[in-house]
C-alpha cells in the first residue's frame, strides 16, 4: 500500500478544507482524530510543515552548517560565518592598450564595445581584454582601473587572489565587507599558476577556513562568493563538474571545474565546499560571450598555498622544468605503442639541453608514473613537474619499445610557456592505406626547421588526411622509428598494423597523430 502525502490525507479526512483561493484552513476539532488514524508519511509538502508545526511534537534538531550524508549545505550559515573574510579588490595602473577580444576567455560580446552600458563594466580585469589574461599587444600605455575579489587567510592581513587581478597594478585597495578600506601591498604574484599574495596592515580580521580539495568528488556541492561585475558579497552555488582539468596555457594547474555561476569580478574569490571550507580560488570561465555559460574553473587551494609559502618566504615562486612537450594518449595511439590502456603522457618533443634530454627521454616515450604515482592524463605530469622546485630529482616510469624502464631526471627551472600540452584529438576514421606522398627534406629546409631528418608531406589522402595530417607537415617517425626514406615507412606498413602513430612537426611544434589503417 502506497503512503499518501499528509496534505492529501488530511483533506480526505476532513481536517483541512481548501478555500476559494486554494489556501488550506485547519479544523481543530478534527485534528486529534486525524492524528490518531494517520500513518507516518515518506514525503511532505510546505502545507504539511505548517500543520506539523501546530502539533505538540518535539522541536526539530538544529540545521547543521555543514553538508553530510547527502544533506544540502546550509549556504546561509556559510555566508554569514565566512562572508566577512571575502574582500573586494580595486586596482589602478597603466598597461598597453588591448585590441578586440579574440574568441573564448572573457572578451566582449560582438558590438558591445560601443554600448554605454559597457562603461560600467570596462574596469573589471579581463572584461573586454583579449584572452583570459588580457593581451599585451604593441599599443601605447593607457591608464586602467579594475576590480576583483580575494579572501583573508590569516587574521593579520594575508590575502589570496589571482595574479591577473593585480597584474600591472600600481595601486591596490582592499575593501572589507564592513566597508573598511586598506591599501594593500602585493607581496608577489605567480603568472604560471595565477596566484597572488597581498598584505594589509590590520589585526584581528575575519578569515576563512581552509579545506582539502583532494577530498572533493564530482557532484559535491560548492559555493562561490565574490564581486561579479562589481556587485560585492554575491554568493552563487553549484556542484563540482570535474577535477584535474588542464586548460590551454595553464597545464601546471589541475583546475576544479564547477557549474557555480562565476563572472568577471569573481576572479580571486573563494570556492567553498559544503563544509564551509575554502577548496579553491575562482580564476577562469569558459565563455563565448564574456559572461557565465556554465563552466567555471578554480585553482585548488593546496596549489595556491604552495605558491603562497614561496612568495612569503622569497617574494616569488619557482617551478620545475622537465623540458618536454606531452600529449594525451587515445586508444589507437596506445595500441600503436603496445599499451593496453591509453594512460600516461606521450612525449612528442624533447627540448635540447633540458632535464629530459640529459635524462635520456625521447619522443615516443610514454611516461606512466612520476614518483610512483600513476598518470592517467598528460596534464597530471605537467602539474607534478610544475609544482616541483628546480633542482629536485623526479623518478619516471617510462614505456619504450614495448617494455617498461625507470629514468631519473633532475629538474631545471621553468618559464610560463616551457611546459606544453598538445591534444592529439580523436582519429576514428579507417582506411586501407596510409595515404601519404612524401619527399626528403632539402638541406636548407633541415637548417630552417632545425631538423636532422624527416620527410615532407607533399600530398595527403585517405586515413592520414582524416587523422588530421596536412600538406607541409614533416613526418619525423612512424611508431617511434625515425623516418628518412619511403622504404622506412613501407617497412612498418608491411607488418600490417591496425594503426600507426606518426610523429609530425608543424610550425615548429611536434605531436604524435594516431592513424587507424583498418
Amino acid at each position: 500500500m502506497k503512503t499518501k502525502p499528509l496534505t492529501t490525507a488530511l483533506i480526505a479526512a476532513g481536517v483541512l478544507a481548501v478555500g476559494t483561493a486554494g489556501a488550506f484552513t485547519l479544523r481543530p476539532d478534527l485534528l486529534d482524530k486525524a492524528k490518531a488514524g494517520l500513518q507516518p508519511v515518506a514525503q511532505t509538502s510546505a502545507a504539511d510543515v505548517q500543520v506539523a508545526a501546530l502539533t505538540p511534537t518535539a522541536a526539530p534538531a538544529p540545521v547543521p552548517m555543514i553538508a553530510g550524508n547527502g544533506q544540502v549545505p546550509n549556504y546561509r550559515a556559510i555566508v554569514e560565518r565566512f562572508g566577512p573574510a571575502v574582500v573586494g579588490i580595486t586596482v589602478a595602473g597603466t598597461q598597453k592598450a588591448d585590441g578586440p577580444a579574440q574568441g573564448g576567455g572573457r572578451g566582449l560580446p560582438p558590438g558591445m564595445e560601443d554600448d554605454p552600458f559597457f562603461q560600467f563594466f570596462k574596469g573589471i580585469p579581463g572584461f573586454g581584454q583579449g584572452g583570459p589574461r588580457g593581451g599585451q599587444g604593441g599599443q601605447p600605455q593607457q591608464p586602467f582601473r579594475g576590480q576583483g575579489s580575494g579572501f583573508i587567510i590569516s587574521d593579520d592581513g594575508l590575502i589570496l587572489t589571482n595574479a591577473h587581478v593585480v597584474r600591472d597594478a600600481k595601486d591596490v585597495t582592499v575593501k572589507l565587507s564592513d566597508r573598511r578600506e586598506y591599501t594593500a601591498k602585493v607581496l608577489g604574484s605567480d603568472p604560471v599558476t595565477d596566484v597572488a599574495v597581498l598584505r594589509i596592515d590590520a589585526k584581528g580580521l575575519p578569515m576563512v577556513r581552509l579545506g582539502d580539495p583532494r577530498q572533493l568528488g564530482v557532484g559535491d556541492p560548492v559555493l562561490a562568493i565574490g564581486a561579479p561585475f562589481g556587485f560585492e558579497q554575491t554568493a552563487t552555488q553549484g556542484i563540482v563538474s570535474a577535477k584535474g582539468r588542464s586548460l590551454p596555457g595553464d597545464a601546471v594547474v589541475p583546475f576544479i571545474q564547477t557549474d557555480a555561476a562565476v563572472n568577471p569580478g569573481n576572479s580571486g574569490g573563494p570556492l567553498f565546499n559544503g563544509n564551509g571550507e575554502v577548496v579553491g580560488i575562482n580564476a577562469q570561465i569558459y565563455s563565448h560571450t564574456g559572461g557565465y555559460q556554465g563552466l567555471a574553473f578554480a585553482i585548488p587551494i593546496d596549489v595556491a598555498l604552495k605558491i603562497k609559502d614561496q612568495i612569503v618566504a622569497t617574494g616569488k615562486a619557482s617551478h620545475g622544468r622537465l623540458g618536454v612537450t606531452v600529449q594525451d594518449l587515445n586508444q589507437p595511439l596506445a595500441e600503436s605503442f603496445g599499451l593496453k590502456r591509453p594512460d600516461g603522457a606521450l612525449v612528442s618533443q624533447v627540448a635540447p639541453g633540458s632535464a629530459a634530454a640529459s635524462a635520456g627521454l625521447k619522443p615516443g616515450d610514454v611516461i606512466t608514473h612520476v614518483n610512483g604515482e600513476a598518470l592517467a592524463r598528460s596534464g597530471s605530469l605537467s602539474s607534478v613537474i610544475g609544482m616541483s622546485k628546480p633542482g629536485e630529482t623526479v623518478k619516471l616510469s617510462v614505456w619504450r619499445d614495448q617494455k617498461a624502464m625507470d629514468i631519473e631526471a633532475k629538474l631545471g627551472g621553468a618559464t610560463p610557456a616551457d611546459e606544453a600540452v598538445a591534444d592529439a584529438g580523436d582519429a576514428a576514421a579507417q582506411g586501407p592505406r596510409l595515404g601519404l606522398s612524401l619527399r626528403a627534406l632539402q638541406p636548407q629546409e633541415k637548417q630552417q626547421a632545425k631538423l636532422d631528418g624527416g620527410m615532407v608531406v607533399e600530398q595527403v589522402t585517405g586515413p592520414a588526411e582524416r587523422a588530421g595530417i596536412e600538406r607541409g607537415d614533416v613526418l619525423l617517425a612512424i611508431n617511434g622509428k625515425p623516418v628518412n626514406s619511403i622504404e622506412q615507412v613501407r617497412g612498418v606498413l608491411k607488418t600490417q598494423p591496425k594503426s600507426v602513430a606518426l610523429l609530425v612537426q608543424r610550425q615548429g611544434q611536434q605531436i604524435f597523430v594516431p592513424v587507424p589503417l583498418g
Side-chain angles (χ1 to χ4, degrees):
M1 175 179 176
K2 295 178 65 176
T3 307
K4 294 182 180 180
L6 179 58
T7 304
T8 305
L10 290 176
I11 293 174
V15 178
L16 291 179
V18 182
T20 57
F24 293 119
T25 59
L26 181 67
R27 292 182 55 186
D29 58 316
L30 296 179
L31 179 60
D32 291 338
K33 294 180 180 180
K35 289 193 295 179
L38 289 179
Q39 299 295 320
V41 297
Q43 297 179 346
T44 59
S45 66
D48 303 338
V49 175
Q50 294 175 1
V51 172
L54 298 177
T55 64
T57 57
V63 178
M65 187 191 75
I66 63 175
N69 299 324
Q71 296 177 357
V72 176
N74 189 335
Y75 291 124
R76 176 176 176 177
I78 294 173
V79 173
E80 288 178 351
R81 174 77 177 275
F82 299 110
V86 181
V87 302
I89 298 174
T90 303
V91 300
T94 58
Q95 62 185 8
K96 291 181 181 180
D98 293 320
Q102 300 296 326
R106 288 184 282 261
L108 289 178
M112 192 173 177
E113 294 87 352
D114 299 325
D115 192 327
F117 188 61
F118 167 65
Q119 300 302 314
F120 178 70
F121 298 126
K122 68 178 183 179
I124 298 175
F127 197 80
Q129 300 176 351
R133 305 287 191 266
Q136 287 298 315
Q139 290 82 3
Q141 294 282 335
Q142 68 176 14
F144 76 91
R145 292 184 61 83
Q147 186 169 346
S149 304
F151 53 98
I152 304 169
I153 60 172
S154 67
D155 61 2
D156 60 352
L158 204 61
I159 296 170
L160 289 182
T161 186
N162 284 145
H164 75 263
V165 169
V166 298
R167 187 191 59 199
D168 299 327
K170 302 299 182 183
D171 300 303
V172 180
T173 302
V174 168
K175 185 177 181 180
L176 274 59
S177 62
D178 60 8
R179 293 181 293 178
R180 286 183 292 167
E181 295 187 5
Y182 296 88
T183 299
K185 178 182 179 181
V186 180
L187 298 184
S189 63
D190 178 38
V192 175
T193 57
D194 197 18
V195 173
V197 183
L198 314 182
R199 183 172 297 277
I200 59 177
D201 187 12
K203 304 291 183 182
L205 296 172
M207 59 182 186
V208 299
R209 186 171 61 200
L210 303 177
D212 184 359
R214 294 172 298 180
Q215 302 302 317
L216 277 179
V218 176
D220 284 353
V222 287
L223 174 74
I225 304 179
F229 300 110
F231 296 108
E232 299 174 351
Q233 292 291 308
T234 295
T236 53
Q237 59 86 27
I239 63 168
V240 175
S241 305
K243 292 183 64 180
R245 289 291 196 211
S246 293
L247 304 181
D250 288 292
V252 169
V253 178
F255 285 97
I256 302 167
Q257 179 184 319
T258 78
D259 70 347
V262 171
N263 282 289
N266 272 113
S267 292
L271 182 74
F272 293 91
N273 63 14
N275 297 324
E277 300 165 332
V278 173
V279 290
I281 303 177
N282 296 309
Q284 297 191 36
I285 59 175
Y286 180 87
S287 174
H288 291 295
T289 66
Y292 171 72
Q293 288 188 290
L295 295 175
F297 301 93
I299 303 163
I301 194 64
D302 55 348
V303 171
L305 292 177
K306 289 181 180 179
I307 300 302
K308 182 267 297 182
D309 291 341
Q310 292 189 53
I311 288 176
V312 170
T314 66
K316 62 180 181 179
S318 58
H319 300 272
R321 178 179 184 253
L322 185 57
V324 294
T325 299
V326 294
Q327 66 185 78
D328 280 334
L329 287 162
N330 55 22
Q331 193 61 41
L333 272 176
E335 291 175 357
S336 299
F337 289 101
L339 290 167
K340 296 181 179 180
R341 294 173 53 88
D343 293 339
L346 173 58
V347 178
S348 60
Q349 190 170 0
V350 177
S354 65
S358 299
L361 283 172
K362 301 177 180 180
D365 287 344
V366 179
I367 302 175
T368 60
H369 295 75
V370 56
N371 292 335
E373 295 186 11
L375 300 178
R377 305 183 68 90
S378 60
S380 300
L381 172 69
S382 301
S383 177
V384 172
I385 299 300
M387 293 310 297
S388 301
K389 295 180 180 180
E392 285 188 22
T393 298
V394 294
K395 296 181 179 180
L396 307 174
S397 295
V398 175
W399 181 261
R400 178 188 296 173
D401 296 332
Q402 301 198 18
K403 60 182 180 180
M405 59 184 301
D406 294 326
I407 291 178
E408 289 190 355
K410 185 177 181 180
L411 301 179
T415 62
D418 275 334
E419 300 295 340
V421 175
D423 184 4
D426 293 322
Q430 296 185 359
R433 58 190 179 87
L434 189 55
L436 289 179
S437 175
L438 303 168
R439 69 166 174 83
L441 280 172
Q442 300 298 321
Q444 63 270 26
E445 291 175 327
K446 291 182 180 180
Q447 185 176 4
Q448 291 175 355
K450 299 180 180 180
L451 293 172
D452 295 326
M455 303 284 289
V456 178
V457 176
E458 291 276 273
Q459 302 268 342
V460 56
T461 59
E465 183 180 30
R466 290 191 288 270
I469 303 297
E470 298 178 1
R471 182 179 179 182
D473 288 347
V474 179
L475 176 61
L476 301 177
I478 180 170
N479 285 357
K481 298 180 179 180
V483 169
N484 291 297
S485 68
I486 296 291
E487 287 71 23
Q488 290 172 319
V489 177
R490 289 173 178 168
V492 173
L493 296 178
K494 284 180 181 178
T495 63
Q496 299 294 321
K498 293 182 178 180
S499 64
V500 293
L502 304 182
L503 177 61
V504 299
Q505 177 164 308
R506 180 183 301 166
Q507 297 179 348
Q509 299 295 318
Q510 295 180 12
I511 185 173
F512 278 96
V513 178
V515 182
L517 300 177

